[in-house]
Amino acid sequence: MIRINSIYINGAFTAPHGTATFDLISPIDNTLQGILALGDEEDVNRAVAAAKAAFQTFSQTTVAQRIAFLQQMHDAISRRADELTNIMVQEYGGSILFCRNSTQNALNSIQTNIALLQQFEFTRKAGTATVRLEPVGVAGIITPWNASNSFICGKLSTAIAAGCTAVIKPSELSGRQTQLLLECLHEAGLPDGVFNVVNGLGNVVGAAITAHKDIAKISFTGSTITGKTIARGAVDTMKRITLELGGKSPNILLEDADLKTAIPMAIQAAYMNSGQACIAGTRLLVPASRIDEVKQLLKENMDIARVGNPAEEDTLIGPMVSQKQYERVQQYIQLGIEEGAELWIGGPGKPAHLEAGNFVKPTIFVNVTNDMRIAREEIFGPVLSVISYKDEEEAIAIANDTDYGLLAYVSSASDEHANHVAARIRAGRVLINGLKHDPMAPFGGFKQSGIGREYGVYGLEAYLEPKAILN
Ligand code: NDP
């Protein structure tokens, strides 16, 4: 039995003041793997005090010093990359391919911030003024379970690049992953208090971070509903907020798309990270004239969507992170049936021989209309809704008819055609003919998918305050 009895404050592992604990249950077979000690408001106060004290000197560091710290962070994590990947597979149930990628994303985000610092202008001119971009203060970082360490590294490395210090609240579902990352970060030898980590419940530790007057900014990734709670709470102390929230991303297959490549990609886009991804392409928009072809190709390509032991190389879909998440996905599959969508592939229940874990059958509904809840709400599991459209105008209207606006996918034989459609989509990123990523490009949502952007220049500026000096 694994026992994680500490949190991390002011450069040291320390016992929390909080006395609550959380059971770490394997999503693969629902056995109890460990017990995590949880912090409370008092622990947040201690962590913020440490971060506030560290900010006095850390905010004055040079760019060269911060590059060196980021390099130390990168190297320490890099040395244990395989362990970080494996523990993510075991604890979270992500497929080994996804988890390897996630660890690499964590490392890339640090490298990207190093590259950015080498060219970023912290002093600029605006009219007659000199504008200094100064670190905003102590950052509160609140992260979810679906790529825990990658989110932490992305946010923390940006805070460090800016000269901010941080108090981090990871998801308690990621306790073992957090512990290993903390060992790496401890080894990296950053100054005491620059980062502090308090495991704990969202409505206790997360709420205390949101309310704390000495936290200047919150960077949050998670559900839209929690994002709204944080935004409401943050305004009392006028915190800056960056919110990366949910999505219901459209994947538009234009009339001229090559379906032989677009359909396997659509399956990957829908089921990436076992469907537990805010950027998953969960609404597949198909020209009505090609719907039969698409249905056939979806069936033919479903061997890609292999569900099973996440440690096996050819698994695409592992178990849902928790029993609760499994049940949530089951409720949506049932709802799709009740709403009158046609169940084309998959359906309720667990796949054969995978009854012990939180495994879901990869599911596809066809004849979905965009007013159905399965087309409007984030399911966060391997469930794809296929919606047909009459013409391109209707495709664009359906794509934009959503409360979300995080990402969209467009497939077309012509880049020009795809770009023309992309220009009319209300989303923070549009991926054309493939699952592409660039850590220098801004990431974030229109509408209820969030506020602000992460990554690259836009991400760094979100941790900085402009100060105009007029002589
Ligand atoms: P949440 O948004 O509730 O959790 C994300 C993080 O916020 C966790 O660390 C959580 O802590 C914390 N939190 C919860 N309540 C508060 C609060 N009042 N103040 C501050 N922090 C808080 O996501 P869930 O884990 O509950 O997942 C529910 C659904 O959210 C999923 O099914 C999915 O649809 C969506 N989701 C979206 C994600 C995305 O990347 N866009 C990521 C994760 C979930 P704690 O774990 O203790 O509750």
Side-chain angles (χ1 to χ4, degrees):
M1 178 74 57
I2 296 150
R3 286 183 189 276
I4 301 173
N5 291 325
S6 56
I7 54 177
Y8 191 88
I9 296 179
N10 205 26
F13 290 94
T14 169
H17 172 267
T19 52
T21 58
F22 182 80
D23 289 346
L24 299 169
I25 311 273
S26 162
I28 299 167
D29 58 11
N30 279 306
T31 53
L32 180 65
Q33 298 290 310
I35 294 175
L36 176 70
L38 300 180
D40 63 9
E41 293 89 345
E42 181 54 36
D43 293 308
V44 172
N45 290 339
R46 286 162 61 206
V48 176
K52 186 182 176 187
F55 183 74
Q56 295 302 320
T57 42
F58 200 69
S59 58
Q60 304 304 312
T61 49
T62 63
V63 165
Q65 285 173 310
R66 298 205 293 279
I67 287 176
F69 287 136
L70 287 171
Q71 193 61 53
Q72 288 164 229
M73 178 179 169
H74 176 273
D75 294 349
I77 294 171
S78 182
R79 281 195 286 277
R80 299 185 75 178
D82 289 344
E83 279 176 82
L84 285 159
T85 298
N86 291 336
I87 210 155
M88 183 176 179
V89 173
Q90 287 171 31
E91 182 178 52
Y92 166 58
S95 74
I96 179 93
L97 281 179
F98 175 78
C99 295
R100 221 177 263 139
N101 229 340
S102 186
T103 304
Q104 195 52 52
N105 281 344
L107 289 165
N108 290 350
S109 66
I110 305 169
Q111 284 297 4
T112 307
N113 276 311
I114 291 175
L116 192 59
L117 276 184
Q118 281 156 348
Q119 62 189 46
F120 191 82
E121 290 178 357
F122 283 91
T123 305
R124 302 170 188 178
K125 290 300 270 187
T128 58
T130 300
V131 180
R132 289 164 50 89
L133 295 178
E134 299 190 349
V136 61
V138 177
I141 292 174
I142 303 176
T143 53
W145 37 260
N146 60 333
S148 185
N149 284 343
S150 172
F151 289 130
I152 293 174
C153 289
K155 292 174 194 296
L156 178 61
S157 63
T158 314
I160 289 174
C164 293
T165 58
V167 174
I168 303 166
K169 187 213 102 59
S171 167
E172 60 278 5
L173 289 169
S174 312
R176 293 173 63 196
Q177 295 164 77
T178 304
Q179 179 66 15
L180 183 54
L181 180 69
L182 271 175
E183 288 173 19
C184 299
L185 292 174
H186 182 66
E187 226 182 270
L190 306 182
D192 293 348
V194 165
F195 69 92
N196 306 272
V197 176
V198 183
N199 290 312
L201 297 179
N203 58 5
V204 178
V205 170
I209 289 174
T210 305
H212 206 293
K213 70 174 175 39
D214 291 332
I215 290 189
K217 174 206 168 61
I218 291 195
S219 179
F220 168 76
T221 298
S223 63
T224 294
I225 187 154
T226 302
K228 289 179 185 179
T229 305
I230 289 174
R232 279 188 210 103
V235 81
D236 284 339
T237 45
M238 216 48 87
K239 289 181 177 61
R240 284 70 185 124
I241 48 173
T242 304
L243 304 176
E244 298 296 350
L245 310 177
K248 194 75 193 177
S249 301
N251 181 355
I252 310 174
L253 307 185
L254 294 175
E255 195 84 46
D256 62 358
D258 171 15
L259 296 183
K260 293 240 160 3
T261 54
I263 293 298
M265 194 210 91
I267 292 172
Q268 297 270 3
Y271 297 157
M272 65 168 78
N273 196 0
S274 310
Q276 300 174 126
C278 51
I279 57 171
T282 48
R283 290 186 298 145
L284 185 63
L285 309 194
V286 176
S289 59
R290 301 191 73 182
I291 188 73
D292 291 339
E293 219 182 319
V294 166
K295 282 165 70 175
Q296 188 55 34
L297 280 168
L298 283 168
K299 280 218 160 131
E300 285 170 17
N301 282 284
M302 276 304 276
D303 56 333
I304 308 170
R306 187 175 174 278
V307 192
N309 181 345
E312 288 170 10
E313 291 287 338
D314 58 351
T315 293
L316 180 69
I317 304 170
M320 302 295 94
V321 67
S322 62
Q323 185 85 31
K324 184 174 153 211
Q325 191 64 19
Y326 168 81
E327 274 154 21
R328 176 189 163 102
V329 177
Q330 292 300 314
Q331 280 162 13
Y332 274 105
I333 293 174
Q334 199 51 46
L335 180 68
I337 295 168
E338 284 160 20
E339 285 183 306
E342 181 190 344
L343 185 61
W344 184 241
I345 292 168
K350 294 184 180 178
H353 313 302
L354 291 170
E355 286 82 6
N358 306 322
F359 294 92
V360 169
K361 293 179 194 161
T363 294
I364 299 181
F365 284 105
V366 296
N367 284 331
V368 177
T369 54
N370 204 45
D371 57 346
M372 292 180 184
R373 283 180 58 198
I374 56 164
R376 302 204 78 78
E377 297 174 19
E378 186 173 50
I379 299 174
F380 236 58
V383 182
L384 174 63
S385 295
V386 180
I387 303 170
S388 57
Y389 65 81
K390 284 193 309 287
D391 54 30
E392 202 162 291
E393 278 309 307
E394 194 184 40
I396 293 166
I398 295 171
N400 287 332
D401 176 18
T402 167
D403 291 338
Y404 294 111
L406 189 58
L407 211 115
Y409 304 79
V410 180
S411 290
S412 165
S414 145
D415 270 359
E416 196 189 342
H417 186 189
N419 276 300
H420 175 76
V421 172
R424 297 183 60 197
I425 301 297
R426 310 264 306 151
R429 269 192 188 188
V430 183
L431 309 189
I432 293 174
N433 289 330
L435 307 181
K436 297 167 183 176
H437 175 61
D438 187 331
M440 278 292 185
F443 177 75
F446 281 39
K447 300 190 272 182
Q448 295 193 34
S449 286
I451 294 179
R453 293 292 180 272
E454 294 193 280
Y455 299 151
V457 171
Y458 300 88
L460 181 53
E461 285 182 354
Y463 287 82
L464 297 165
E465 286 279 19
K467 179 194 281 176
I469 298 173
L470 290 110
N471 287 313

